[in-house]
Amino acid sequence: MAAGRLIIKTEFLPTKYRGYMLPLSQVFWLAGSLLIIGLASVVIPTIGWRWLIRIASIPGIILIMAFKFIPESARFNVSTGNTQAALATLERIARMNRSVMPEGRLVEPILEKRGRFADLLDAKYLRTTLQIWVIWLGISFAYYGVILASAELLERDLVCGSKSESQVVVVTGGNSQESHSPCHCHLFAPSDYRTMIISTIGEIALNPLNILGINFLGRRLSLAITMGCTALFFLLLNICTSSAGLIGFLFMLRALVAANFNTIYIYTAEVYPTTMRALGMGTSGSLCRIGAMVAPFISQVLMSASFLGALCLFSSVCVVCAISAFTLPIETKGRALQQIK
């Protein structure tokens, strides 16, 4: 859903505004994140987590109905030969902007084959595609790793890599090995929810700098810098610090991983032509989900066995992504969207 939303916005926005407007949409992502944390602080202690899931699904249902009012991309309609629909969309935009359509007619060759997976692995895009996939997997791995690690750090009260015995609840009864394993599940205190809110606000903190970097340094260099900083701040989590220091590190990590997502979303949507854009974003999103699936095993399972080992793994993945970003063969800053390959 997020990929489709971004593709439509990318194809509607002029080149000079893409680097500004797309990162600003992060504000709405932040609002949703804060809303769910605030909702959880009220719903979970009173009527349970199942009701939290039920309530949180309501906006998604409303959104499905709202899709009817979202116009189809004119670029897509032209590429499929549906020029009348493309003209209707452009005329609607012209009316909204109190402008007039330029004279002429839309002309574009109709492609019989569009969006083939083999096109992503074509010689022109092979290196770009493989590096983008690595970056998407790594960014997702780091993003969800930070979120889950934040909850883990708060739940287990880990300070300087040590466990607080007062928070461990042991489940007894039964003869299985699981019955002798410590269960660390307990309800968050109000202070824990406040910490989550503060760290989540970090997702918007670097947005101004991220916008400047994307538009002046370029997509590749900006992403390489933020990925490198993400690797550094993962390692800083192992430093002995106070609760305020931990919140500060988590705040910066959330800010950096959000900036990483902003940049790679923009780059992936810009680097592929219209005939491949949705496929490129879709396959990248699939790699993103793999990173999200792997993250819990590191931030919750490996972190229990080796706190420093988990942090080093997260940091190493971010370094690989930083190198991949820096060596991407195509820079899309100031580049018009390509219509066909």
Side-chain angles (χ1 to χ4, degrees), residues 103-238:
E103 295 182 0
R105 62 191 183 92
L106 292 175
V107 178
E108 189 69 40
I110 302 173
L111 302 178
E112 297 296 330
K113 296 180 180 179
R114 302 187 309 275
R116 296 180 301 169
F117 183 79
D119 292 337
L120 295 176
L121 304 179
D122 184 77
K124 181 178 180 180
Y125 290 104
L126 176 60
R127 181 181 160 191
T128 301
T129 296
L130 294 178
Q131 289 185 232
I132 284 177
W133 285 352
V134 169
I135 295 169
W136 271 93
L137 192 149
I139 288 178
S140 174
F141 179 67
Y143 180 84
Y144 292 101
V146 170
I147 293 175
L148 294 170
S150 300
E152 195 74 4
L153 290 168
L154 293 172
E155 189 174 319
R156 300 187 180 209
D157 195 20
L158 293 180
V159 179
C160 303
S162 63
K163 298 180 184 178
S164 173
E165 298 297 329
S166 62
Q167 297 295 331
V168 176
V169 180
V170 179
V171 178
T172 59
N175 296 321
S176 66
Q177 278 188 325
E178 291 182 2
S179 64
H180 299 288
S181 300
C183 175
H184 300 276
C185 299
H186 65 276
L187 293 177
F188 275 11
S191 59
D192 295 329
Y193 284 110
R194 285 196 295 271
T195 300
M196 291 289 286
I197 288 174
I198 293 171
S199 62
T200 301
I201 292 174
E203 292 200 13
I204 201 67
L206 288 184
N207 228 16
L209 289 178
N210 186 216
I211 290 173
L212 290 175
I214 287 172
N215 288 283
F216 292 98
L217 298 179
R219 279 56 162 162
R220 294 181 300 181
L221 182 57
S222 176
L223 181 57
I225 291 173
T226 54
M227 286 302 309
C229 292
T230 305
L232 175 62
F233 272 91
F234 264 118
L235 294 178
L236 290 177
L237 281 179
N238 195 53

